[in-house]
Amino acid sequence: MKATGVVRRIDDLGRIVIPKEIRRNLRIRDGESLEIFVDGNNVVLKKFSIMRNVDLYASNLVDSLYSLVKKSVVITDGDSVIACSSNVKELLNKSISDNLSSSIKRRESIIEKYNKDLVITDDFSLECKYVINSVVANGDSVGLVIIFDRDEISDDDMLIASLASKILSKSIEE
């Protein structure tokens, strides 16, 4: 564990304030949920992602989609890539770009049929055609399904991305 040098008191209601700088660095936003774990004598806080509960399912879904469309497929939660096709495995578990985080907040569905820069992580961007579809579960936008290719994106790819996001939404809600 990395020491920060920050010490906080627990108030009489059992609350503790996480400093703004730490929240900013870890991309913890107001209203987000944190999981609490005990590891020996340590209390560990971890950002909660409802999408992490379906990561194996998402991985199988990505493999199926990739075999069907023969295009790169990525599924994200609110912070990172949780599943990706075999041709872009280096993206797995990496933090998503601020642009994708904004797409989640805005519940966007985007189809880009002309080459445009797609920034998935801070160190991975690609000039390509793509479709992005939000995963909305229990009224909250919780992730994205992205299909991208250098050559072609069709209306069918948009429908497939939409279907995949609806399948993920249903699996989360159940």
Side-chain angles (χ1 to χ4, degrees):
M1 255 186 280
K2 183 178 173 184
T4 63
V6 177
V7 176
R8 291 285 191 257
R9 288 190 182 271
I10 297 175
D11 72 10
D12 56 346
L13 295 176
R15 298 175 296 196
I16 187 168
V17 174
I18 301 170
K20 187 174 187 175
E21 185 65 26
I22 291 173
R23 288 180 308 191
R24 184 178 24 245
N25 288 341
L26 297 177
R27 297 171 122 182
I28 298 171
R29 296 171 204 74
D30 292 344
E32 278 191 318
S33 297
L34 298 174
E35 287 183 276
I36 303 170
F37 298 94
V38 176
D39 181 17
N41 289 332
N42 298 315
V43 175
V44 179
L45 300 176
K46 182 179 176 190
K47 286 176 71 172
F48 175 74
S49 168
I50 197 161
M51 291 285 285
R52 289 285 175 190
N53 295 333
V54 295
D55 58 353
L56 179 60
Y57 186 75
S59 179
N60 291 333
L61 181 60
V62 161
D63 292 341
S64 298
L65 292 176
Y66 181 69
S67 68
L68 176 68
V69 299
K70 304 291 190 258
K71 295 173 182 158
S72 301
V73 181
V74 169
I75 296 177
T76 77
D77 65 8
D79 297 304
S80 60
V81 174
I82 64 163
C84 54
S85 51
S86 58
N87 62 327
V88 288
K89 279 292 186 199
E90 70 271 15
L91 297 177
L92 192 61
N93 297 320
K94 289 196 174 179
S95 295
I96 62 173
S97 68
D98 290 338
N99 287 344
L100 290 184
S101 290
S102 295
S103 291
I104 293 170
K105 288 179 195 169
R106 292 189 303 262
R107 300 173 182 231
E108 288 185 326
S109 293
I110 302 168
I111 185 165
E112 188 60 59
K113 292 188 176 185
Y114 301 98
N115 279 342
K116 192 172 178 184
D117 199 30
L118 173 63
V119 181
I120 296 178
T121 66
D122 289 338
D123 61 354
F124 184 92
S125 66
L126 183 67
E127 185 91 8
C128 62
K129 299 162 181 77
Y130 56 87
V131 58
I132 297 174
N133 204 285
S134 294
V135 177
V136 179
N138 299 319
D140 295 324
S141 186
V142 295
L144 298 171
V145 174
I146 306 167
I147 300 174
F148 59 99
D149 189 63
R150 289 184 188 264
D151 296 327
E152 176 187 11
I153 286 292
S154 67
D155 290 337
D156 289 342
D157 296 322
M158 183 63 177
L159 290 172
I160 290 167
S162 177
L163 178 62
S165 69
K166 284 180 174 56
I167 290 170
L168 286 167
S169 296
K170 286 289 186 186
S171 67
I172 291 168
E173 291 171 350
E174 292 178 350

